[in-house]
Amino acid sequence: MVFRETFLSDELALRLAANLKDLFAGNQLNAAGTGNDKLAVFNRLVRSDHIYWLDRKHNDPTENDFFDLMDSFVLHLNQTCYTGITGYEFHYSLYETGAFYKKHLDQFKTNSSRQYSMVMYLNVDWVAADGGELCIYPNSIAQLIAPMNGKSVFFKSNELEHEVLTTNKPRMSITGWLKRDG
Protein backbone atom coordinates (compact mmCIF):
# COMPACT_ATOMS: atom_id res chain seq x y z
CA MET A 1 0.00 0.00 0.00
CA VAL A 2 1.27 3.45 -0.92
CA PHE A 3 -0.19 6.85 -0.30
CA ARG A 4 0.79 10.31 -1.42
CA GLU A 5 -0.33 13.59 0.03
CA THR A 6 -0.36 15.39 -3.34
CA PHE A 7 -1.16 13.01 -6.20
CA LEU A 8 -3.89 15.40 -7.33
CA SER A 9 -2.94 19.06 -7.57
CA ASP A 10 -4.97 21.38 -5.34
CA GLU A 11 -6.44 22.98 -8.45
CA LEU A 12 -7.55 19.70 -10.04
CA ALA A 13 -8.91 18.40 -6.72
CA LEU A 14 -11.01 21.56 -6.30
CA ARG A 15 -12.38 21.28 -9.84
CA LEU A 16 -13.21 17.59 -9.37
CA ALA A 17 -14.95 18.37 -6.06
CA ALA A 18 -16.99 21.12 -7.77
CA ASN A 19 -18.02 18.63 -10.49
CA LEU A 20 -19.08 16.10 -7.88
CA LYS A 21 -21.11 18.69 -5.98
CA ASP A 22 -22.83 19.79 -9.22
CA LEU A 23 -23.65 16.18 -10.13
CA PHE A 24 -25.08 15.60 -6.66
CA ALA A 25 -27.16 18.80 -6.83
CA GLY A 26 -28.48 17.62 -10.21
CA ASN A 27 -29.46 14.19 -8.82
CA GLN A 28 -26.96 12.44 -11.12
CA LEU A 29 -25.44 10.12 -8.48
CA ASN A 30 -26.70 6.58 -7.97
CA ALA A 31 -26.73 4.31 -4.94
CA ALA A 32 -23.59 2.18 -4.93
CA GLY A 33 -23.77 -1.58 -4.87
CA THR A 34 -21.42 -4.49 -4.37
CA GLY A 35 -20.60 -7.22 -6.86
CA ASN A 36 -20.51 -6.91 -10.63
CA ASP A 37 -22.78 -7.28 -13.64
CA LYS A 38 -25.83 -9.39 -12.83
CA LEU A 39 -24.44 -10.18 -9.38
CA ALA A 40 -24.72 -6.56 -8.17
CA VAL A 41 -26.38 -6.21 -4.76
CA PHE A 42 -27.65 -2.96 -3.24
CA ASN A 43 -27.57 -3.38 0.53
CA ARG A 44 -27.41 -0.12 2.50
CA LEU A 45 -26.31 -2.09 5.58
CA VAL A 46 -23.06 -2.93 3.74
CA ARG A 47 -22.48 0.15 1.59
CA SER A 48 -24.31 3.48 1.71
CA ASP A 49 -22.42 5.85 -0.58
CA HIS A 50 -23.52 7.27 -3.94
CA ILE A 51 -21.46 7.15 -7.12
CA TYR A 52 -21.14 8.55 -10.63
CA TRP A 53 -18.95 6.78 -13.21
CA LEU A 54 -16.38 8.96 -14.99
CA ASP A 55 -16.04 8.55 -18.74
CA ARG A 56 -14.17 10.39 -21.50
CA LYS A 57 -17.43 10.25 -23.47
CA HIS A 58 -18.79 12.90 -21.10
CA ASN A 59 -16.25 15.26 -22.73
CA ASP A 60 -15.97 17.13 -19.43
CA PRO A 61 -12.74 19.18 -19.33
CA THR A 62 -12.09 18.39 -15.64
CA GLU A 63 -12.71 14.65 -16.07
CA ASN A 64 -10.47 14.69 -19.15
CA ASP A 65 -7.68 16.38 -17.15
CA PHE A 66 -8.07 13.62 -14.56
CA PHE A 67 -7.91 10.94 -17.26
CA ASP A 68 -4.77 12.57 -18.73
CA LEU A 69 -3.16 12.30 -15.28
CA MET A 70 -4.20 8.65 -15.02
CA ASP A 71 -2.90 7.89 -18.52
CA SER A 72 0.50 9.29 -17.50
CA PHE A 73 0.45 7.31 -14.25
CA VAL A 74 -0.44 4.04 -16.02
CA LEU A 75 2.31 4.62 -18.60
CA HIS A 76 4.79 5.21 -15.77
CA LEU A 77 3.70 2.03 -13.96
CA ASN A 78 3.88 -0.05 -17.13
CA GLN A 79 7.32 1.30 -18.09
CA THR A 80 8.94 1.15 -14.66
CA CYS A 81 7.15 -1.67 -12.85
CA TYR A 82 6.00 -3.81 -15.80
CA THR A 83 2.45 -3.95 -14.42
CA GLY A 84 0.73 -4.69 -17.74
CA ILE A 85 -2.18 -2.36 -16.98
CA THR A 86 -4.48 -2.21 -20.03
CA GLY A 87 -7.31 -0.04 -18.73
CA TYR A 88 -9.02 1.56 -15.78
CA GLU A 89 -12.38 2.60 -14.37
CA PHE A 90 -13.14 5.41 -11.92
CA HIS A 91 -16.15 6.91 -10.24
CA TYR A 92 -16.92 9.80 -7.96
CA SER A 93 -18.01 8.70 -4.47
CA LEU A 94 -20.08 10.77 -2.10
CA TYR A 95 -20.61 9.54 1.44
CA GLU A 96 -23.32 11.64 3.04
CA THR A 97 -23.31 12.13 6.81
CA GLY A 98 -23.72 8.70 8.42
CA ALA A 99 -22.59 6.74 5.33
CA PHE A 100 -20.02 3.91 5.38
CA TYR A 101 -18.74 0.86 3.48
CA LYS A 102 -18.07 -2.37 5.41
CA LYS A 103 -14.82 -4.36 5.15
CA HIS A 104 -14.16 -5.84 1.70
CA LEU A 105 -11.67 -6.63 -1.06
CA ASP A 106 -11.93 -4.80 -4.39
CA GLN A 107 -11.39 -7.76 -6.70
CA PHE A 108 -14.49 -9.67 -7.77
CA LYS A 109 -14.72 -13.41 -7.18
CA THR A 110 -15.77 -13.92 -10.82
CA ASN A 111 -13.38 -11.46 -12.49
CA SER A 112 -9.74 -10.80 -11.59
CA SER A 113 -9.10 -7.89 -13.98
CA ARG A 114 -8.87 -5.32 -11.16
CA GLN A 115 -5.20 -5.27 -10.23
CA TYR A 116 -4.73 -2.04 -8.27
CA SER A 117 -7.18 0.12 -6.35
CA MET A 118 -6.90 3.89 -6.04
CA VAL A 119 -8.75 6.38 -3.89
CA MET A 120 -8.18 10.12 -4.29
CA TYR A 121 -9.75 12.45 -1.75
CA LEU A 122 -11.53 15.74 -2.45
CA ASN A 123 -12.17 17.02 1.09
CA VAL A 124 -10.81 20.45 2.04
CA ASP A 125 -10.34 21.21 5.76
CA TRP A 126 -11.06 17.65 6.91
CA VAL A 127 -10.43 17.07 10.64
CA ALA A 128 -10.36 13.89 12.73
CA ALA A 129 -13.82 14.56 14.20
CA ASP A 130 -15.26 14.35 10.67
CA GLY A 131 -14.71 10.56 10.65
CA GLY A 132 -14.91 8.79 7.29
CA GLU A 133 -11.41 7.34 7.48
CA LEU A 134 -10.29 4.59 5.17
CA CYS A 135 -9.48 1.71 7.50
CA ILE A 136 -7.05 -0.74 5.92
CA TYR A 137 -5.93 -4.07 7.33
CA PRO A 138 -2.35 -4.84 6.32
CA ASN A 139 -1.37 -8.00 8.21
CA SER A 140 -4.83 -7.92 9.87
CA ILE A 141 -3.91 -4.81 11.88
CA ALA A 142 -6.25 -1.83 11.44
CA GLN A 143 -4.64 1.37 10.12
CA LEU A 144 -6.59 4.61 9.56
CA ILE A 145 -6.09 7.04 6.67
CA ALA A 146 -7.83 10.41 6.87
CA PRO A 147 -9.61 11.44 3.63
CA MET A 148 -7.78 14.76 3.24
CA ASN A 149 -7.88 16.79 0.04
CA GLY A 150 -5.45 15.65 -2.67
CA LYS A 151 -4.29 12.54 -0.81
CA SER A 152 -4.21 9.33 -2.84
CA VAL A 153 -4.10 5.71 -1.70
CA PHE A 154 -2.87 2.92 -4.01
CA PHE A 155 -2.94 -0.82 -3.24
CA LYS A 156 -3.35 -4.32 -4.70
CA SER A 157 -7.07 -4.98 -5.26
CA ASN A 158 -6.95 -8.64 -4.29
CA GLU A 159 -4.78 -8.32 -1.17
CA LEU A 160 -5.83 -5.45 1.08
CA GLU A 161 -9.07 -5.64 3.00
CA HIS A 162 -10.43 -2.20 3.79
CA GLU A 163 -13.52 -0.27 4.79
CA VAL A 164 -14.79 3.29 4.99
CA LEU A 165 -15.75 4.25 8.52
CA THR A 166 -18.93 6.22 9.21
CA THR A 167 -18.71 9.84 8.12
CA ASN A 168 -19.79 12.74 10.32
CA LYS A 169 -20.04 15.10 7.37
CA PRO A 170 -20.17 14.58 3.59
CA ARG A 171 -17.00 12.90 2.27
CA MET A 172 -15.95 13.02 -1.40
CA SER A 173 -13.47 11.01 -3.42
CA ILE A 174 -12.66 9.44 -6.73
CA THR A 175 -12.31 5.69 -6.46
CA GLY A 176 -11.16 3.34 -9.18
CA TRP A 177 -9.19 0.40 -10.38
CA LEU A 178 -6.28 -0.14 -12.73
CA LYS A 179 -7.12 -3.23 -14.75
CA ARG A 180 -5.38 -5.92 -16.73
CA ASP A 181 -7.17 -8.03 -19.29
CA GLY A 182 -7.37 -11.67 -18.27
Side-chain angles (χ1 to χ4, degrees), residues 42-61:
F42 297 89
N43 181 345
R44 301 221 7 112
L45 298 176
V46 173
R47 182 177 186 183
S48 56
D49 60 316
H50 289 82
I51 64 171
Y52 178 88
W53 289 97
L54 282 71
D55 195 317
R56 278 206 190 262
K57 293 177 186 174
H58 298 156
N59 202 26
D60 179 274

Side-chain angles (χ1 to χ4, degrees), residues 21-167:
K21 289 175 186 175
D22 288 346
L23 290 163
F24 180 69
N27 294 313
Q28 298 294 306
L29 276 66
N30 296 305
T34 58
N36 60 338
D37 301 325
K38 294 177 182 162
L39 303 175
V41 175
F42 297 89
N43 181 345
R44 301 221 7 112
L45 298 176
V46 173
R47 182 177 186 183
S48 56
D49 60 316
H50 289 82
I51 64 171
Y52 178 88
W53 289 97
L54 282 71
D55 195 317
R56 278 206 190 262
K57 293 177 186 174
H58 298 156
N59 202 26
D60 179 274
T62 299
E63 286 183 33
N64 288 342
D65 287 347
F66 171 77
F67 286 130
D68 291 345
L69 174 64
M70 294 315 305
D71 289 343
S72 295
F73 183 59
V74 167
L75 180 64
H76 173 76
L77 287 175
N78 285 341
Q79 290 178 340
T80 61
C81 302
Y82 309 104
T83 56
I85 300 303
T86 57
Y88 51 69
E89 58 187 0
F90 287 95
H91 62 69
Y92 286 118
S93 294
L94 175 68
Y95 288 77
E96 295 182 88
T97 301
F100 57 88
Y101 190 173
K102 297 290 186 186
K103 188 193 279 189
H104 64 282
L105 287 172
D106 281 348
Q107 193 172 79
F108 299 123
K109 293 177 182 173
T110 60
N111 181 336
S112 62
S113 65
R114 289 181 174 177
Q115 297 297 303
Y116 299 95
S117 300
M118 292 188 74
V119 183
M120 290 146 282
Y121 297 109
L122 308 174
N123 307 294
V124 176
D125 299 324
W126 198 266
V127 296
D130 296 333
E133 294 92 346
L134 177 67
C135 184
I136 59 172
Y137 295 91
N139 304 315
S140 301
I141 299 169
Q143 181 180 358
L144 299 179
I145 299 170
M148 300 180 71
N149 194 56
K151 184 183 289 185
S152 176
V153 183
F154 178 81
F155 55 91
K156 289 282 289 173
S157 298
N158 67 336
E159 292 178 3
L160 189 63
E161 284 190 304
H162 58 286
E163 65 183 311
V164 175
L165 302 182
T166 302
T167 62

